[in-house]
């Protein structure tokens, strides 16, 4: 599902100060120069907020609960963020604890909050790790500021690159939150603030805390839309097929044959495509 206007305007502005395209978070973590790698932070649910991220996670869970009642069992929210050029995508992957090290374990549900309106759409497919064939269909949700996307955490998804014809200097900025019944924080041995998967959020009072964390102070005001009735569904675009067979150049398949294959896939008449080896196509 997708919702418009997930946050009220003042809270959205507070989030954009912390994680907008020009926020110091991106520079100080090394994200923009590509040195950071993947990193995320885990927050227990139900406690007094120590940061704006505690508040955001609580608000997103509140919005999702009517559509994902299983989130009543969630005890943790894990977040990470991306700040990409308009034409950059993200390969198909499953959200997983610790990037799948030691075996893939999916969250209850995953979400994407757009803080900007640049870049390509998020693609969510019906494919799970346990599937025996490639997904026959999926859905696209296009970027729009303050739009929230939610989906089953077991599903394969990606970011489609933005079209070069509409290239823009604006960047695709998103915050992702995965909800877990259980997840272990993985802080560096001996303390410190080295980046990595499932870290504890920095304590602003602790010695050596990164400077960027001061931009994540709790918001003093209303967080959600002023009225529940102001929430409205955002467009979700069905995609069928998700996958198409690409015959090798040496097979001699003519253009007419390829068109027949494409029409057959779109009509759902062809057999499901078999799964390729996981490591050849998917990111864990």
């Amino acid at each position: 599902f997708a919702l418009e206007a997930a946050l009220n305007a003042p809270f959205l502005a507070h989030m954009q100060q912390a994680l907008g395209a020009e926020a110091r978070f991106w520079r100080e973590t090394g994200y923009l120069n590509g040195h950071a790698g993947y990193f995320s932070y885990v927050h227990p649910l139900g406690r007094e907020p120590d940061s704006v991220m505690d508040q955001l996670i609580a608000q997103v869970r509140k919005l999702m609960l009517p559509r994902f009642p299983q989130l009543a069992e969630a005890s943790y929210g894990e977040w990470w963020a991306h700040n990409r050029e308009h034409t950059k995508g993200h390969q198909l992957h499953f959200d997983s604890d610790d990037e799948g090290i030691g075996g893939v374990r999916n969250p209850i549900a995953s979400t994407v909050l757009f803080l900007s309106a640049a870049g390509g759409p998020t693609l969510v497919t019906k494919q799970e790790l346990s599937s025996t064939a490639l997904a026959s269909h999926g859905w696209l949700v296009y970027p729009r500021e303050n739009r929230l996307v939610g989906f089953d955490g077991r599903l394969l998804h990606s970011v489609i690159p933005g079209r070069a014809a509409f290239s823009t200097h604006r960047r695709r900025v998103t915050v992702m939150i995965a909800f877990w019944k259980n997840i272990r924080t993985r802080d560096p041995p001996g303390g410190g603030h080295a980046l990595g998967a499932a870290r504890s959020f920095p304590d602003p009072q602790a010695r050596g805390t990164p400077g960027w964390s001061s931009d994540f102070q709790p918001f003093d005001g209303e967080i959600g839309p002023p009225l529940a009735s102001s929430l409205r569904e955002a467009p979700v675009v069905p995609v069928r097929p998700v996958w198409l067979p690409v015959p090798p150049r040496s097979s001699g398949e003519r253009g007419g044959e390829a068109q027949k294959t494409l029409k057959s896939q779109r009509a759902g008449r062809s057999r499901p495509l078999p799964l390729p080896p996981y490591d050849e196509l998917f990111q864990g």
Side-chain angles (χ1 to χ4, degrees):
F1 80 95
L3 294 174
E4 305 285 23
L7 312 177
N8 68 23
F11 186 61
L12 174 65
H14 192 77
M15 284 301 313
Q16 290 170 327
Q17 179 182 351
L19 285 171
E22 303 301 322
R24 60 175 170 166
F25 171 86
W26 307 107
R27 299 188 303 275
E28 293 183 6
T29 58
Y31 179 97
L32 293 178
N33 60 25
H35 294 165
Y38 172 78
F39 62 99
S40 66
Y41 295 97
V42 172
H43 297 246
L45 302 180
R47 68 179 186 183
E48 285 297 312
D50 292 328
S51 73
V52 68
M53 298 311 298
D54 290 311
Q55 295 170 307
L56 177 66
I57 290 168
Q59 171 64 9
V60 169
R61 181 172 179 261
K62 178 181 176 182
L63 293 175
M64 287 191 62
L65 263 172
R67 298 160 180 83
F68 287 85
Q70 57 269 46
L71 281 182
E73 299 180 1
S75 299
Y76 299 91
E78 178 190 16
W79 72 270
W80 60 100
H82 287 300
N83 179 357
R84 292 195 171 101
E85 296 176 9
H86 172 79
T87 54
K88 301 296 184 183
H90 191 107
Q91 73 184 85
L92 285 155
H93 64 283
F94 297 98
D95 288 344
S96 180
D97 182 14
D98 201 21
E99 297 189 275
I101 296 172
V104 176
R105 189 169 71 90
N106 305 126
I108 299 170
S110 296
T111 65
V112 180
L113 175 67
F114 293 102
L115 296 183
S116 70
T122 293
L123 168 68
V124 180
T125 79
K126 282 290 289 181
Q127 191 169 320
E128 302 179 15
L129 188 64
S130 59
S131 298
T132 57
L134 292 172
S136 61
H137 62 284
W139 303 267
L140 294 172
V141 180
Y142 284 82
R144 184 173 182 176
E145 185 181 86
N146 207 13
R147 177 174 283 174
L148 176 68
V149 184
F151 53 93
D152 188 315
R154 296 171 296 183
L155 298 180
L156 185 73
H157 56 285
S158 72
V159 176
I160 307 299
R163 294 178 62 185
F166 297 99
S167 187
T168 172
H169 69 281
R170 297 189 66 191
R171 298 179 69 89
R172 187 186 197 271
V173 183
T174 51
V175 184
M176 281 58 63
I177 302 172
F179 291 92
W180 298 89
K181 186 172 182 178
N182 289 296
I183 186 173
R184 179 171 64 88
T185 54
R186 296 177 172 86
D187 294 323
H193 299 284
L195 300 175
R199 300 296 203 228
S200 298
F201 192 74
D203 178 358
Q205 308 303 320
R207 185 177 179 180
T209 294
W212 58 261
S213 64
S214 64
D215 296 335
F216 288 73
Q217 295 295 326
F219 178 67
D220 184 17
E222 293 295 324
I223 295 173
L227 297 171
S229 59
S230 65
L231 287 170
R232 63 186 188 279
E233 299 281 339
V236 176
V237 181
V239 176
R240 188 183 186 107
V242 172
W243 302 93
L244 287 174
V246 179
R249 189 180 297 273
S250 60
S251 71
E253 183 175 36
R254 303 289 183 182
E257 294 293 329
Q259 286 299 316
K260 288 179 183 179
T261 301
L262 176 60
K263 289 179 181 179
S264 185
Q265 284 285 327
R266 285 177 174 165
R269 292 193 299 267
S270 60
R271 291 177 296 175
L273 297 172
L275 283 172
Y278 180 86
D279 292 336
E280 287 187 13
L281 272 182
F282 312 127
Q283 172 188 332

